[in-house]
Amino acid sequence: MPSTEITMLPDSVFLTDRTGPVPLYFQIASRLEEAIRSGALPPGARLENEIALSERLGLSRPTVRRAIQELVDKGLVVRRRGIGTQVVHGAVTRQVELTSLWEDLERTGQNPTTRMLLHEVIPADQRIAESLGVEIGTEVLHLRRLRGADGVPVSILENFLPTEFTNITESQLVEHGLYQLLRIRGVTMRVARQRIGARRATSSESALLEIGRDSPLLTMDRTAYDASGKAAEFGHHCYRPDLYSFEITLVDH
């Protein structure tokens, strides 16, 4: 679990050149980044708040705020309501391949968590019916989950599954990744059609992901098919771009 204790770095870590050409905020940000990468500030560690740190270092609050923002922009720390500024493992870099976010997090040594937002059986509308290859009005399982990494929200996952999977339970989805559950049921994913994009977060997404209102989000729409060519799931997912990225390998044939 992430630490709830504030990690105090010694003043010597923050020694700065106040007469040189390098901006003070950049010097502070570089010292903090070194501490994170060396492990002096481990994943989950909490930083002092801007007021305390600025007073201790004798710097202006805007200088310290900008230094911390540099780390936020690099995906090294996150600001969390009620907790403060906290070190994370770093951004999840996901190969564009047929894996789930749960598996990607486990592979990189992070602890995936799931908060169920919605679990319901609904009749498929035209878009869902076309994506899953079923008749309009067919009962499908509609899921919406908040996925976290080491307690930090990373993604909102919305999925639609065919009728035969409507008995997947909320408790199963909290304990396991969706693709893990499908494999347990004998489903072998073979191919997927996927679209990656970007848009602004809605107010509810901003609150769930603990980001600023109208912040940018990465998006992914995916329909995955089993070995027989039947659609096993359709999903629309959105991700925090400061904690998540896609990696694609291009080969010239």
Side-chain angles (χ1 to χ4, degrees), residues 39-61:
L41 282 172
R46 289 177 57 202
L47 278 62
E48 298 171 77
N49 64 45
E50 294 172 3
I51 297 175
L53 193 56
S54 63
E55 290 179 350
R56 180 155 76 92
L57 301 180
L59 297 171
S60 70
R61 188 175 176 186

Side-chain angles (χ1 to χ4, degrees), residues 109-129:
Q110 302 186 61
N111 178 39
T113 57
T114 300
R115 173 183 162 194
M116 291 299 304
L117 304 174
L118 192 64
H119 180 285
E120 61 179 359
V121 177
I122 62 170
D125 60 18
Q126 182 174 348
R127 179 177 72 108
I128 303 307

Side-chain angles (χ1 to χ4, degrees), residues 75-128:
L76 296 173
V77 302
V78 291
R79 292 189 173 105
R80 302 182 64 194
R81 294 188 184 92
I83 294 178
T85 304
Q86 194 167 34
V87 179
V88 298
H89 275 289
V92 180
T93 300
R94 183 175 188 177
Q95 296 279 347
V96 179
E97 56 187 9
L98 203 45
T99 59
S100 68
L101 178 54
W102 182 285
E103 293 165 329
D104 294 332
L105 293 172
E106 285 189 326
R107 188 175 63 235
T108 56
Q110 302 186 61
N111 178 39
T113 57
T114 300
R115 173 183 162 194
M116 291 299 304
L117 304 174
L118 192 64
H119 180 285
E120 61 179 359
V121 177
I122 62 170
D125 60 18
Q126 182 174 348
R127 179 177 72 108
I128 303 307

Side-chain angles (χ1 to χ4, degrees), residues 18-220:
R18 305 197 180 206
T19 61
V22 180
L24 287 174
Y25 82 85
F26 186 83
Q27 294 183 54
I28 297 299
S30 297
R31 303 294 187 276
L32 287 170
E33 182 173 349
E34 288 172 8
I36 291 170
R37 297 197 185 281
S38 70
L41 282 172
R46 289 177 57 202
L47 278 62
E48 298 171 77
N49 64 45
E50 294 172 3
I51 297 175
L53 193 56
S54 63
E55 290 179 350
R56 180 155 76 92
L57 301 180
L59 297 171
S60 70
R61 188 175 176 186
T63 295
V64 173
R65 183 185 303 118
R66 186 169 180 184
I68 293 175
Q69 186 60 46
E70 288 284 309
L71 302 180
V72 171
D73 292 343
K74 290 184 176 183
L76 296 173
V77 302
V78 291
R79 292 189 173 105
R80 302 182 64 194
R81 294 188 184 92
I83 294 178
T85 304
Q86 194 167 34
V87 179
V88 298
H89 275 289
V92 180
T93 300
R94 183 175 188 177
Q95 296 279 347
V96 179
E97 56 187 9
L98 203 45
T99 59
S100 68
L101 178 54
W102 182 285
E103 293 165 329
D104 294 332
L105 293 172
E106 285 189 326
R107 188 175 63 235
T108 56
Q110 302 186 61
N111 178 39
T113 57
T114 300
R115 173 183 162 194
M116 291 299 304
L117 304 174
L118 192 64
H119 180 285
E120 61 179 359
V121 177
I122 62 170
D125 60 18
Q126 182 174 348
R127 179 177 72 108
I128 303 307
E130 290 177 354
S131 298
L132 293 179
V134 299
E135 296 291 331
I136 294 175
T138 301
E139 287 192 344
V140 297
L141 180 61
H142 179 204
L143 307 173
R144 195 162 183 259
R145 296 163 291 157
L146 178 65
R147 178 60 45 77
D150 291 321
V152 179
V154 173
S155 176
I156 299 172
L157 312 174
E158 185 172 29
N159 295 84
F160 300 87
L161 291 90
T163 304
E164 58 266 35
F165 302 123
T166 54
N167 59 350
I168 293 177
T169 67
E170 292 189 41
S171 60
Q172 289 173 325
L173 289 160
V174 169
E175 296 295 326
H176 303 280
L178 177 58
Y179 280 19
Q180 289 177 330
L181 294 174
L182 292 177
R183 280 196 294 270
I184 290 171
R185 290 166 173 255
V187 178
T188 301
M189 299 293 196
R190 289 300 187 196
V191 67
R193 186 173 65 248
Q194 185 165 279
R195 176 179 295 173
I196 298 169
R199 60 174 173 80
R200 291 187 180 277
T202 65
S203 57
S204 63
E205 290 168 340
S206 299
L208 287 169
L209 293 171
E210 299 180 5
I211 56 178
R213 188 167 182 171
D214 293 328
S215 293
L217 292 177
L218 286 171
T219 64
M220 181 181 74

